[in-house]
Amino acid sequence: MPLHEYEEKKRRQNIDTLNASGACHICGSTARNTRGFSHCLDDENSEQQPPRYHYNEMGTSLIPAPQTAPMRSCACFNQSKSDPDYWPYSLRVCEMCIADDCTTGRVRNCGMCGAVACDADCGVEMAECTDNEGWNNMGCLECRRKECFSEIDVFKTATKGPDGKDVPKMTRVCVKCLEQCTPWVRYDFTCRLFKCNTRLVPSDVMERKRFRTFGSSPLNLLPEDGLAAIVDFLPNNDLKSLYLTNSAMCTVSERVAQTRVEEFHHEFPTGPLVVGTRKSPFGGHERRWIRCEGTNDFNIRAPEDGQVWVGILHYLEYIAKEAFYLGFQTDGENGDEDAVCRFMKRQDKFQFSQVYIKDGPNSNSPIVPRPEHFNSSADGVSICSSFILITDASVKVPFAVASSEDMVSGRNRFICRLFCPGSGTKNSNRDSLGSYGILCKSTSEAGTESITWAKKLDIMEGLQREDSVFGLDYNTETRELIVHSSRMNRFHSNEYTLPEMEGDIVFGIEFTAKAAGIKGSLMSARRCDEDEWTQFLTYTQNGEPAPAGGPADLLQGGLDMLGLVRQRRREQDGEDNRDERIRARLDDADEAINIGVMRVRNHHALRMGIRPELLPLPDAGDNP
């Protein structure tokens, strides 16, 4: 919508005089300010006190120097007449006229960046602010037969500024500012009337975005480098929340996220990064599954593996939490939400290094070093830092991988997890998926290297679960080895005393042919301190929660209820062999037993050895 017809006609008639005098095209002033008004031919009013002496360039004039007001000009201002886009009626307007026009909207200016335009074809495209959403819009200002924005109810009220004062609502926003403040969700739409291409955007959306930019934020006082340094103190979860707060902070959050990802993305398998869901082979609902395929020649980065760096950082944190078994530290009432973030920033992570293969077809054949490191494109195995990923199901060759550093003097603790997709089903043979333990590397006088297992323990396929978790605690001074591993969904601890060994002691992992032949098999290992090891033992000994929805849950639930019934029977018989762990749950189990668990016939109950007085009464529809 152009200026008022009479004002626009008057402006075009005097356009040459106004351009020559440097005055505003609306009010004709060169020195308009908050203290008063001065036309271009009247230079007596000055914002400051008039000088006691009169001067000009020669120092002899009796007229004081004029005061020039800040001006804004459109994109076609001062164009040469030879320019193909030359327009003789360009616009120059002062700040005071823009402030007076804020509720009218006759001057086309962006409420975000302040850009002005003389018409709809000048400079960047402008979108009008409106009162309704796209599905219920009433059209643009011209199509609604409105003279100015103040005739629309939504513009009759002001909005609160950063200082708490009322600020008139903005009437237009340029397309560049609109794309920057709403980069992922499009709030703009076109006018509903036929052949009208005016872009509209809800006013309430733009007002929320308006005062959350750098221009109105106290953080604008800081340079971008200083602001990024402050934001870098935030953990990954808070960084994601800050990224979603407003368009101004997403730029800084994206910069910090990129720096973080580039610090440790080489420690993860390469992309493509796949974000999806998969249904558990044991039943139940679909679960989120984020994984790295490990087939790219470059590390994970944007935009190949994700549109934004903040999203990639969030996905890598999810992978680290699942792969390194950090859930017991982050979940729960007293969980540490920042444990994964601190782990990813650690510089002393565990690393796999040397690869070994068996020198012979037998299981007792000695293992020898592989001359070169695994290549994922050729061998189907990707080894990087703390991860071993099977990228091709055609491997099916047993191999072992040792840690890059020898065990330090004292206690050495490791927590490992092997994930094999599709394993652990009811048709599985419960075969060995691999081994782990202590490797001893020694060198003979002839210079030949010898590698032997000082202690090796099997990683058995689980029951109704696809992963196997185990921990290892080895004391190099006393040669005591404590192994805490899961068997049949239960964790058990075993202690061993290793014989004296000559050579370097390292931690080793071995893949069997079955695990190496499953695409997507992932082995991960990490070091842990004493506090983390204690939490790991406490969490697993108290009973790790099993995946819900499978047949194992129904079986375990039935066994628990049967144990409760038998315990109740022992109490009535006066036997003194109560299980304290089950007894603590008896008070809360009576209602479950009477209502939903033992809804069976009497002869079934007698066959199970349950007393009739413990049975619920039959329903009205039950047969006697």
Side-chain angles (χ1 to χ4, degrees):
M1 181 188 69
L3 293 173
H4 192 271
E5 184 178 356
Y6 173 77
E7 294 178 352
E8 180 67 13
K9 183 178 180 181
K10 183 179 178 180
R11 185 183 76 89
R12 294 190 177 188
Q13 289 177 353
N14 302 323
I15 190 72
D16 295 333
T17 305
L18 295 172
N19 288 336
S21 61
C24 172
H25 290 186
I26 306 299
C27 64
S29 171
T30 58
R32 188 179 180 191
N33 50 67
T34 57
R35 296 181 57 183
F37 171 79
S38 175
H39 198 268
C40 62
L41 301 179
D42 184 9
D43 297 327
E44 294 182 358
N45 189 14
S46 176
E47 182 178 2
Q48 301 177 355
Q49 294 293 332
R52 297 180 180 273
Y53 55 90
H54 304 286
Y55 65 95
N56 63 0
E57 293 180 357
M58 301 300 296
T60 58
S61 175
L62 298 178
I63 302 177
Q67 178 187 3
T68 304
M71 300 284 181
R72 299 186 196 176
S73 57
C74 64
C76 57
F77 188 76
N78 279 340
Q79 284 184 336
S80 174
K81 293 183 179 181
S82 61
D83 194 317
D85 297 329
Y86 172 73
W87 177 247
Y89 305 113
S90 57
L91 177 65
R92 179 173 58 193
V93 60
C94 65
E95 296 286 348
M96 294 299 296
C97 287
I98 293 177
D100 293 342
D101 187 71
C102 60
T103 58
T104 306
R106 289 172 179 171
V107 179
R108 304 174 62 90
N109 74 295
C110 175
M112 289 280 193
C113 63
V116 297
C118 58
D119 54 27
D121 299 326
C122 176
V124 66
E125 183 182 359
M126 297 277 186
E128 291 185 5
C129 297
T130 186
D131 49 356
N132 294 329
E133 302 288 343
W135 62 273
N136 194 28
N137 78 92
M138 303 296 294
C140 63
L141 199 67
E142 186 175 357
C143 295
R144 295 168 73 167
R145 310 293 183 183
K146 302 292 184 181
E147 183 180 357
C148 59
F149 283 90
S150 59
E151 296 182 7
I152 303 177
D153 294 338
V154 70
F155 295 99
K156 294 180 180 180
T157 58
T159 184
K160 292 292 183 181
D163 54 356
K165 297 181 180 180
D166 291 338
V167 180
K169 294 182 178 179
M170 57 190 298
T171 57
R172 291 182 180 86
V173 60
C174 66
V175 175
K176 290 185 178 180
C177 292
L178 181 62
E179 293 176 353
Q180 290 178 1
C181 66
T182 57
W184 303 279
V185 181
R186 289 197 58 180
Y187 293 99
D188 58 308
F189 48 88
T190 56
C191 178
R192 63 182 300 178
L193 272 74
F194 185 63
K195 293 185 178 180
C196 182
N197 296 323
T198 303
R199 298 180 68 174
L200 304 175
V201 62
S203 176
D204 58 342
V205 174
M206 299 315 301
E207 292 301 324
R208 290 197 300 266
K209 299 290 185 179
R210 179 184 183 184
F211 294 112
R212 288 169 173 80
T213 58
F214 280 143
S216 59
S217 174
L219 297 175
N220 186 35
L221 302 176
L222 296 173
E224 186 176 353
D225 295 340
L227 182 58
I230 294 177
V231 174
D232 193 28
F233 284 97
L234 297 176
N236 295 337
N237 291 334
D238 294 341
L239 184 66
K240 178 185 176 183
S241 301
L242 181 65
Y243 177 81
L244 299 174
T245 301
N246 56 69
S247 58
M249 289 301 166
C250 75
T251 305
V252 179
S253 303
E254 186 74 356
R255 174 180 173 180
V256 174
Q258 180 180 358
T259 304
R260 291 186 181 181
V261 172
E262 291 177 348
E263 287 178 354
F264 50 71
H265 62 171
H266 61 279
E267 300 175 354
F268 286 79
T270 61
L273 188 64
V274 181
V275 180
T277 58
R278 66 186 294 264
K279 191 172 183 179
S280 173
F282 320 120
H285 301 287
E286 291 187 350
R287 296 185 59 189
R288 195 179 188 186
W289 191 26
I290 303 175
R291 65 191 185 278
C292 301
E293 293 289 342
T295 56
N296 288 345
D297 297 332
F298 51 87
N299 295 321
I300 295 177
R301 66 189 183 188
E304 288 81 3
D305 298 296
Q307 295 297 325
V308 292
W309 291 96
V310 174
I312 293 178
L313 179 62
H314 172 68
Y315 296 144
L316 292 182
E317 184 177 13
Y318 181 89
I319 294 175
K321 179 181 177 180
E322 293 289 330
F324 293 106
Y325 201 67
L326 291 166
F328 69 91
Q329 298 179 227
T330 59
D331 301 337
E333 297 181 357
N334 300 324
D336 186 3
E337 297 180 355
D338 303 333
V340 183
C341 180
R342 291 197 305 271
F343 171 77
M344 296 174 69
K345 290 183 177 181
R346 289 176 57 176
Q347 301 296 327
D348 57 342
K349 296 188 183 71
F350 175 86
Q351 291 185 356
F352 290 110
S353 177
Q354 182 63 50
V355 181
Y356 302 92
I357 58 176
K358 291 184 178 181
D359 187 14
N362 299 327
S363 59
N364 298 327
S365 300
I367 56 176
V368 295
R370 187 182 174 93
E372 60 182 8
H373 202 281
F374 268 74
N375 187 336
S376 60
S377 60
D379 298 311
V381 180
S382 174
I383 301 177
C384 54
S385 187
S386 307
F387 289 97
I388 304 175
L389 175 65
I390 305 298
T391 60
D392 189 357
S394 61
V395 178
K396 296 183 179 180
V397 177
F399 64 91
V401 186
S403 59
S404 60
E405 298 180 355
D406 300 339
M407 290 191 179
V408 298
S409 178
R411 307 296 290 267
N412 295 265
R413 300 180 178 91
F414 306 91
I415 298 178
C416 308
R417 178 178 180 266
L418 175 60
F419 172 75
C420 296
S423 64
T425 60
K426 62 180 180 179
N427 297 326
S428 301
N429 297 326
R430 305 292 181 269
D431 297 330
S432 174
L433 298 176
S435 304
Y436 64 98
I438 306 298
L439 279 171
C440 180
K441 299 188 299 182
S442 59
T443 304
S444 62
E445 297 180 356
T448 59
E449 184 178 7
S450 174
I451 303 98
T452 57
W453 284 99
K455 185 62 177 179
K456 183 171 70 171
L457 301 106
D458 291 335
I459 306 174
M460 302 304 297
E461 188 174 0
L463 173 63
Q464 299 293 327
R465 60 182 302 168
E466 298 174 296
D467 63 340
S468 298
V469 181
F470 51 91
L472 183 144
D473 182 4
Y474 180 67
N475 192 339
T476 57
E477 297 178 356
T478 61
R479 304 191 308 277
E480 293 180 355
L481 175 64
I482 301 176
V483 177
H484 191 67
S485 60
S486 60
R487 294 179 182 176
M488 302 294 290
N489 293 343
R490 290 292 182 269
F491 280 83
H492 304 273
S493 295
N494 297 306
E495 297 183 5
Y496 305 93
T497 301
L498 274 61
E500 294 185 2
M501 297 168 289
E502 296 182 358
D504 299 330
I505 305 301
V506 296
F507 175 70
I509 294 289
E510 185 180 35
F511 271 69
T512 62
K514 181 176 182 178
I518 301 176
K519 182 180 180 181
S521 295
L522 181 66
M523 168 66 75
S524 55
R526 65 180 176 103
R527 297 181 182 270
C528 63
D529 54 21
E530 185 177 358
D531 294 338
E532 294 174 338
W533 180 259
T534 303
Q535 293 180 19
F536 172 67
L537 294 180
T538 304
Y539 177 78
T540 53
Q541 287 174 355
N542 291 339
E544 180 194 24
D553 294 337
L554 301 178
L555 176 61
Q556 187 62 38
L559 293 177
D560 291 342
M561 290 298 103
L562 183 59
L564 292 174
V565 173
R566 290 178 176 175
Q567 183 66 26
R568 175 64 69 187
R569 181 179 179 182
R570 293 193 199 101
E571 285 192 346
Q572 292 185 358
D573 292 342
E575 297 178 359
D576 192 14
N577 56 353
R578 301 178 179 88
D579 188 351
E580 296 297 335
R581 185 171 59 88
I582 298 180
R583 178 178 173 78
R585 301 164 55 189
L586 288 176
D587 296 335
D588 299 331
D590 292 337
E591 183 177 357
I593 295 175
N594 294 331
I595 295 178
V597 178
M598 299 302 302
R599 193 171 296 275
V600 294
R601 301 296 185 266
N602 290 343
H603 61 280
H604 291 168
L606 294 176
R607 188 179 303 170
M608 295 173 62
I610 303 175
R611 290 187 175 184
E613 58 268 17
L614 296 179
L615 292 174
L617 296 176
D619 294 338
D622 290 345
N623 295 324

